Amino acid sequence: MNREERRKPLPCKPVEKPVREKPGTKCAILTANRQEKRQDGVSYWRAWGRGLWLAGKRGSGVRGGKMAAVGSAQLRVGFVGAGRMAEAIAQGLIRAGKVEAQHVMASAPSDRGLCHFRALGCQTTQSNQEVLQSCSLVIFATKPHVLPAVLAEVAPVVTAEHILVSVAAGVSLSILEELLPPYARVLRVSPNLPCVVQEGAIVMARGRHIGTSETKLLQNLLEACGQCEEVPEAYVDVHTGLSGSGVAFVCTFSEALAEGAIKMGMPSALAHRLAAQTLLGTAKMLLQEGQLPAQLRTDVCTPGGTTIYGLHALEQGGLRAATMSAVEAATCRAKELSRK
């Protein structure tokens, strides 16, 4: 072969000819995505873009990183917003081994919240779009009034492969789906503050395009932060009044228990510790033994004993009616905020 012949380009292989690539390589993934376009109608450019993200980690994994399929062992979870609740959920997932720290990414406009994520070993960024381009499951943990602008910002990079979860209070599924592309898969989650110690009471409601498998996946993840139940969306505001605001109601009762003991001569610190432990032990008995409160109360209350005298005083003070009214008032307020 002379020099001129060596300069001639080699003939290209026909496009139709199947090419076997080594599994897991960049070429194999891109080829599979092009074939997917013919199979299910996914646009060429979306398949191409998704192939680039799947092509393997480079550097820190923020750009060119792997966005694993939902439900895989390498699931990547993103947080838009890095406040206390986002940190609590991330911490629960990592401690329970649900997700590896290096597969969690958080975004926020400042480093104030991101430093806590970095301490956990997570990736951080100030770009919200970058989180969606790197993660398949994304939790929006911003303030409710900020969320619409955030959703408008990330909407161009949302794909049908994402699972999008909102923990913003008062933002309904209909609003979330209105602000996102029509194919977006959305869930609404209502956690409460004890998620910080992985003992939260959490409910979630699914959007129109969410199936059972995605719901089970999220429920399994969130159970690392406490008890998680799927409910109709109509119950989410009730949960806010019961378990969200209920934390403050229980704290008020715990404080009152301790102050009663202080009045009778017990040191303050000891009284508060014992009151909190009494609430914790009672809650565990109710949950683990499956008893109704009335059954457990009957077990404690003996005829002519101390408990029945104390219960009589609580009834005279209207504790039961006041507590019911508190849950009702908080629920009504939650519904008002949802309509704004």
Side-chain angles (χ1 to χ4, degrees), residues 212-225:
T212 302
S213 60
E214 294 93 341
T215 304
K216 293 296 183 184
L217 169 67
L218 182 61
Q219 186 173 16
N220 177 60
L221 291 173
L222 292 178
E223 281 176 350
C225 304

Side-chain angles (χ1 to χ4, degrees), residues 79-86 107-109 112 128 139-151 165-171 175-176 179 193:
F79 291 85
V80 176
R84 192 175 185 188
M85 187 57 68
S107 66
R112 187 173 62 178
N128 295 330
I139 297 174
F140 292 88
T142 67
K143 297 292 185 183
H145 69 278
V146 175
L147 186 58
V150 171
L151 294 179
V165 180
S166 169
V167 299
V171 183
I175 293 176
L176 294 171
L179 295 172
L193 189 58

Side-chain angles (χ1 to χ4, degrees), residues 35-285:
Q35 292 172 348
E36 183 185 6
K37 174 233 179 182
R38 293 191 292 271
Q39 293 171 356
D40 60 10
V42 176
S43 68
Y44 172 84
W45 289 111
R46 180 179 294 170
W48 176 267
R50 188 163 64 251
L52 290 177
W53 287 109
L54 286 167
K57 284 189 176 181
R58 293 179 182 173
S60 65
V62 174
R63 294 190 182 277
K66 182 178 181 181
M67 189 174 81
V70 171
S72 74
Q74 298 299 316
L75 174 68
R76 295 181 63 88
V77 178
F79 291 85
V80 176
R84 192 175 185 188
M85 187 57 68
E87 180 192 353
I89 295 174
Q91 192 174 61
L93 297 180
I94 294 168
R95 285 182 175 177
K98 303 283 188 181
V99 183
E100 295 181 19
Q102 62 266 31
H103 294 151
V104 175
M105 177 182 287
S107 66
S110 70
D111 278 346
R112 187 173 62 178
L114 293 178
C115 62
H116 298 293
F117 276 85
R118 284 195 289 269
L120 292 171
C122 306
Q123 300 179 41
T124 61
T125 177
Q126 291 186 339
S127 169
N128 295 330
Q129 288 193 354
E130 202 163 28
V131 173
L132 275 86
Q133 289 168 332
S134 298
C135 303
S136 52
L137 190 152
V138 180
I139 297 174
F140 292 88
T142 67
K143 297 292 185 183
H145 69 278
V146 175
L147 186 58
V150 171
L151 294 179
E153 176 193 350
V154 302
V157 294
V158 171
T159 72
E161 286 73 35
H162 283 110
I163 293 179
L164 307 177
V165 180
S166 169
V167 299
V171 183
S172 67
L173 285 170
S174 61
I175 293 176
L176 294 171
E177 292 177 338
E178 181 181 340
L179 295 172
L180 290 165
Y183 48 78
R185 298 189 292 172
V186 182
L187 294 107
R188 181 182 175 190
V189 170
S190 178
N192 70 345
L193 189 58
C195 285
V196 172
V197 291
Q198 286 76 59
E199 290 292 350
I202 309 164
V203 297
M204 62 180 187
R206 68 171 83 175
R208 291 178 297 169
H209 305 299
I210 288 289
T212 302
S213 60
E214 294 93 341
T215 304
K216 293 296 183 184
L217 169 67
L218 182 61
Q219 186 173 16
N220 177 60
L221 291 173
L222 292 178
E223 281 176 350
C225 304
Q227 182 173 328
C228 182
E229 304 273 355
E230 183 187 2
V231 299
E233 189 180 18
Y235 294 172
V236 173
D237 289 332
V238 181
H239 173 265
T240 299
L242 171 63
S243 299
S245 301
V247 173
F249 305 157
V250 171
C251 285
T252 301
F253 182 67
S254 180
E255 185 180 40
L257 278 178
E259 288 177 345
I262 294 168
K263 180 180 179 182
M264 301 310 295
M266 183 176 286
S268 177
L270 177 60
H272 283 286
R273 287 198 305 272
L274 292 177
Q277 182 61 39
T278 301
L279 295 178
L280 175 62
T282 304
K284 283 189 173 182
M285 289 187 70

